[in-house]
Amino acid sequence: MTQTDKDRVLIFDTTLRDGEQSPGATMTHEEKLEIAGLLDEMGVDIIEAGFPIASEGDFNAVSAIAKQAQNAVICGLSRANYKDIDRCWEAVKHAKRPRIHTFIGTSPLHRAIPNLTKEEMAERIHDCVTHARNLCDNVQWSSMDATRTEWDFLKRTIDIAIKAGATTINIPDTVGYTAPVESADLIRRLIAEVDGADEVVFATHCHNDLGMATANSLAAVAGGARQIECTINGLGERAGNTALEEVVMAMKVRHDIMPWHTGVDTTKIMNVSRRVATVSGFQVQYNKAIVGKNAFAHESGIHQDGMLKNAETFEIMRPEDVGLSETNIVMGKHSGRAALRSKLKNLGYDLADNQLNDVFVRFKALADRKKEVFDDDLVALMRDSAVEAVNDRLQVKFLRVICGTEAPQSADLTMNVDGADHQVTATGDGPVDATFKAIKKIFPHEVNLQLFQVHAVTEGTDAQATVSVRLEEDGRIATGQAADTDTVVASAKAYVTALNRLLVRREKSAPGADVKGVSYKDVG
Ligand code: KIV
Ligand code: ZN
């Protein structure tokens, strides 16, 4: 089958905007730049880099990403008002290819929030899109909650946006309410009935509340949409957004019935997925399509036997198509620096000599405790190395816990705070509780522990545990992750990492930095 431009589907990645809205998924400035760089390299067409008016931090991240991007269009989000749009333009204008994205909720429920009549809203859309178009020749309009908007009014909003100069029309399923047949029909009907539909690109933006985001996005493409909005690992508020890796691989693997193509280099998927999981603190579920740990694992005897005879027996795509190295060469304590460098390179980490030295020391320490070091162990190790960089105020130096069948358990902890070592003993209900109490004794603080999660990185009793901790203080949220063969040590390090991040955030949130009344929550 020949591919024409009409079959090209644009990939709009919103990991850094809709994905980052997910409570607890907040990323640092450097992390956002790194993820944007990876997305650009992998061939994503449009990167929605943030919501510039939301905070100084968002503005700075969007403008830095705009300056850095080589190929992708860099887009910022703005509500439908001039102040938001101007701020968005200030941030994206540095990009080689900038885009302003502006939106308003058009469904009855969403119209009630700003308390606008249909007439008033129609006028607002006309004015805002015109204003955005006067600043930038690439403007995306979204009728938020489109799938619950009355047909006549939805069509009217799109008509107005196109006439005012929008170049992309996005039809969001903001609350994950639609279903595939309806999703395809809606786009098909809009394209057939709206004046000027041929002049613009129709986009689909689906949330996964009913688990249908991928199906709904692909159905929208069948209906004529040529831009899919999605996130890596399906990150996003509530049940998340459409997962980039799922729609891209679906079109590739089932090209026979979905004859569309994207510009994404699929062999980069695994690395980006790992990095997003690490920096967002949102682990990928084991059985997640494409990027889950078990997506290419064949456990049962029948499956393994079939796989050995012919991989296609149970595999519809090859692991290397998504960037999983075919050979999982296991590393151990005899592996040298060169082997570690090449292994890490395969896993997507290109290290400078000094970084490699540091990681090599940690690798040797791990290999001494663990007979075999698997790919996942190395990814966990790299995550810890990155985490160390922010451990500037608090560091765990020594931890010994006494546990047994009789409560209470106790923890001896030495922690370095701002350069000075402090030692305490604390008791608690279990070793982790005792350890967290010891941290609090050394560094008193009042935060809410929102999440405490333990995952075994690999199999076996010597497996490392990855612990994720999420802390909240006055609406600020920070996550920490750490891995160790000792679960309690990993817990202490993860907690301290989250605490360090929270302290950084507390220091950075200068009064007035957050624009009043602007909340990510407003935008679904
Ligand atoms: O879900 C949604 O409607 C959004 C819009 C801002 C596009 O994220
Ligand atoms: Zn959304």
Side-chain angles (χ1 to χ4, degrees), residues 14 17-18 21 48 77-78 101-104 140 142-146 170-175 205-207 229 238 241 522-524:
T14 183
R17 200 278 297 169
D18 218 335
Q21 270 173 231
E48 187 164 52
L77 183 68
S78 50
H101 178 188
T102 184
F103 75 98
I104 203 164
Q140 171 164 332
S142 289
S143 293
M144 186 167 80
D145 206 13
N170 183 27
I171 307 297
D173 183 32
T174 305
V175 290
H205 174 113
C206 299
H207 281 263
E229 308 207 351
R238 307 187 310 276
N241 290 62
D522 293 341
V523 295

Side-chain angles (χ1 to χ4, degrees), residues 103 182 214 232 236 398 404 411 523:
F103 75 98
E182 190 181 70
T214 294
I232 300 289
F398 172 85
V523 295

Side-chain angles (χ1 to χ4, degrees), residues 241-384:
N241 290 62
T242 301
L244 178 147
E245 62 278 8
E246 293 178 13
V247 284
V248 168
M249 287 312 290
M251 288 185 265
K252 189 169 169 145
V253 174
R254 293 308 313 274
H255 200 70
D256 53 334
I257 53 167
M258 291 183 273
W260 313 296
H261 61 283
T262 72
V264 171
D265 174 355
T266 64
T267 64
K268 302 220 185 304
I269 285 178
M270 267 326 288
N271 290 337
V272 186
S273 161
R274 286 192 189 111
R275 289 305 292 146
V276 168
T278 300
V279 303
S280 67
F282 277 60
Q283 301 260 359
V284 175
Q285 89 196 40
Y286 280 14
N287 58 342
K288 161 89 179 60
I290 319 291
V291 292
K293 187 172 148 62
N294 290 352
F296 291 92
H298 300 275
E299 199 81 60
S300 85
I302 298 173
H303 282 216
Q304 283 179 351
D305 185 47
M307 284 296 295
L308 289 173
K309 291 186 177 123
N310 180 354
E312 282 179 28
T313 321
F314 287 105
E315 243 170 36
I316 56 168
M317 53 200 152
R318 296 169 311 161
E320 54 270 36
D321 293 343
V322 298
L324 265 176
S325 47
E326 207 180 1
T327 50
N328 190 358
I329 301 165
V330 180
M331 307 280 288
K333 66 177 175 192
H334 300 299
S335 308
R337 230 171 265 261
L340 181 66
R341 185 196 283 281
S342 121
K343 185 69 169 171
L344 288 174
K345 196 153 190 244
N346 270 339
L347 292 172
Y349 301 97
D350 215 347
L351 301 189
D353 285 348
N354 60 336
Q355 289 171 307
L356 182 71
N357 289 344
D358 174 54
V359 174
F360 190 66
V361 173
R362 290 158 189 268
F363 161 71
K364 282 286 173 186
L366 179 63
D368 270 342
R369 283 183 288 152
K370 218 174 164 287
K371 226 171 58 215
E372 296 175 315
V373 178
F374 297 97
D375 288 4
D376 287 338
D377 287 317
L378 291 174
V379 172
L381 194 81
M382 290 307 299
R383 184 167 47 219
D384 272 10

